[in-house]
């Protein structure tokens, strides 16, 4: 049996979704148990505060490390302990398969501006993200990971073969699917799917899967190229700002050094004048 611990300030967020469809069926067949851990139960002030202002200043609030560490320790959680974070590696079907094959999974849901870095570096065993976007909290991401994982458990789906033909299950993007009617609003189902030749259907699906996978990979490459261009442009701006700041600092240092030298010269001249005056006074006596 797989035990899934979900550490969150909103346990009620999961009550409805986990009681429906595949997550509920997986629990009903004994394949998984859900343990919702209220982060606020590990606070010690009357307001049950889980966040505080960031060191160094700046906008937003940061979730404190203590409640997370104590919450995880209270359930005796073992690896994997996953922090849901936009900085994390992108969650994949391979991760879902890995989690489904294990006996325990702990998901840490953040909120507010950020979570204290000590949670990421000294408590979580990995960080995962759903993609290059930011959610209001880790709860939707945790729910997505739970759903992707428990549907792979024995008994969760009445037709496991259906799961095996999903996208990313040992293959790329799945082929298009059609159902009745064969014609709808002028759009017809491909002839190969209604011809009755299973070998041709399998070949068509493989070809369509490959085509869709290549298209998705091409989009990903284009997205990454665009992202790298944006990063390079941002790095150039940062480098220019740093160069200007360095030049300004050097200019100030040169001006300060020049003033110091001028002041030293002035003081030396004053000392010489005083020495000359003292010499002249001595001679006149």
């Amino acid at each position: 049996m797989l035990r899934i611990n979900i550490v969150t300030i909103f346990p009620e967020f999961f009550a409805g979704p986990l009681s429906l469809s595949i997550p509920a069926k997986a629990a009903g067949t004994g394949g998984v148990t859900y343990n919702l851990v209220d982060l606020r139960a590990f606070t010690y002030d009357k307001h049950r505060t889980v966040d505080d202002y960031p060191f160094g200043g700046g906008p937003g609030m940061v979730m404190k490390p203590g409640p997370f560490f104590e919450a995880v320790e209270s359930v005796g959680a073992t690896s994997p302990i996953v922090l849901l974070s936009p900085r994390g590696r992108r969650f994949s079907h391979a991760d879902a398969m890995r989690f489904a094959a294990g006996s325990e999974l702990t998901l840490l849901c953040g909120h507010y501006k950020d979570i204290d870095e000590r949670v990421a570096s000294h408590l979580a065993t990995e960080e995962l993200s759903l993609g290059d976007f930011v959610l209001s909290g880790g709860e939707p991401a945790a729910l997505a990971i739970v759903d992707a994982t428990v549907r792979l458990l024995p008994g969760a789906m009445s037709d496991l073969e259906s799961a095996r033909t999903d996208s990313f299950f040992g293959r790329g993007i799945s082929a298009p699917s059609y159902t009745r009617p064969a014609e709808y609003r002028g759009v017809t189902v491909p002839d190969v799917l209604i011809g009755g030749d299973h070998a041709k259907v399998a070949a068509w699906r493989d070809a369509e899967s490959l085509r869709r996978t290549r298209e998705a990979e091409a989009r990903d490459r284009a997205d990454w190229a665009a992202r790298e261009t944006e990063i390079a442009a941002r790095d150039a701006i940062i480098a220019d700002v740093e160069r200007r700041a360095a030049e300004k600092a050097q200019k100030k240092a040169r001006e300060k050094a020049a003033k110091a030298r001028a002041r030293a010269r002035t003081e030396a001249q004053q000392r010489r004048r005083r020495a000359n005056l003292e010499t002249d006074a001595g001679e006149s006596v």
Side-chain angles (χ1 to χ4, degrees):
M1 176 185 287
L2 173 63
R3 180 177 75 155
I4 299 180
N5 306 305
I6 304 176
V7 181
T8 172
I9 59 174
F10 298 115
E12 61 275 14
F13 179 92
F14 299 91
L18 295 183
S19 66
L20 300 171
S21 189
I22 299 299
K25 187 173 181 180
T29 58
V32 63
T33 59
Y34 305 116
N35 182 25
L36 300 178
V37 183
D38 187 352
L39 195 65
R40 294 192 188 276
F42 301 91
T43 58
Y44 302 97
D45 65 302
K46 66 178 181 179
H47 300 295
R48 306 178 75 197
T49 306
V50 296
D51 61 312
D52 208 335
Y53 294 102
F55 278 120
M61 302 294 284
V62 177
M63 298 190 80
K64 302 194 291 185
F68 279 102
F69 276 83
E70 293 185 28
V72 170
E73 290 164 357
S74 74
V75 298
T78 59
S79 180
I81 300 172
V82 180
L83 174 62
L84 287 314
S85 165
R87 291 187 291 264
R89 175 179 57 80
R90 187 173 297 184
F91 174 73
S92 70
H93 185 71
D95 294 309
M97 294 179 65
R98 172 167 59 95
F99 296 154
S103 60
E104 185 171 36
L105 170 63
T106 299
L107 301 172
L108 308 180
C109 301
H111 217 74
Y112 308 114
K113 175 66 175 178
D114 205 352
I115 299 177
D116 189 290
E117 177 61 21
R118 287 165 290 192
V119 175
S121 57
H122 296 286
L123 178 62
T125 60
E126 56 189 288
E127 288 184 75
L128 290 178
S129 167
L130 292 189
D132 297 336
F133 54 91
V134 177
L135 297 168
S136 58
E139 286 77 14
L143 188 59
I145 289 175
V146 168
D147 188 274
T149 298
V150 302
R151 68 193 301 274
L152 303 177
L153 297 174
M157 295 184 65
S158 56
D159 183 6
L160 186 58
E161 185 61 27
S162 176
R164 291 197 177 101
T165 57
D166 287 340
S167 294
F168 312 116
F169 201 108
R171 55 194 290 163
I173 306 296
S174 62
S177 298
Y178 295 88
T179 188
R180 294 179 178 83
E183 185 274 331
Y184 182 72
R185 296 193 178 186
V187 181
T188 58
V189 174
D191 292 338
V192 65
L193 297 181
I194 56 179
D197 189 325
H198 297 294
K200 288 184 178 179
V201 169
W204 179 85
R205 284 177 172 158
D206 286 343
E208 285 297 300
S209 174
L210 180 60
R211 178 183 64 80
R212 284 188 162 192
T213 300
R214 286 175 172 170
E215 288 177 351
E217 290 173 346
R219 287 196 303 270
D220 286 345
R221 286 194 296 271
D223 289 344
W224 276 108
R227 184 175 180 179
E228 289 298 318
T229 300
E230 291 176 0
I231 291 173
R234 186 169 66 245
D235 287 346
I237 292 173
I238 293 172
D240 185 60
V241 170
E242 291 176 343
R243 178 184 59 79
R244 290 174 182 269
E247 290 176 350
K248 185 177 181 180
Q250 291 173 357
K251 182 179 178 181
K252 289 182 67 176
R254 288 194 298 268
E255 291 174 347
K256 184 177 180 180
K259 289 178 180 179
R261 288 193 298 270
R263 186 165 56 251
R265 286 194 299 269
T266 300
E267 291 174 351
Q269 290 171 354
Q270 290 173 345
R271 285 195 298 271
R272 285 197 295 271
R273 282 198 295 271
R274 285 197 296 269
N276 291 336
L277 290 173
E278 291 174 355
T279 301
D280 292 343
E283 289 176 352
S284 63
V285 173

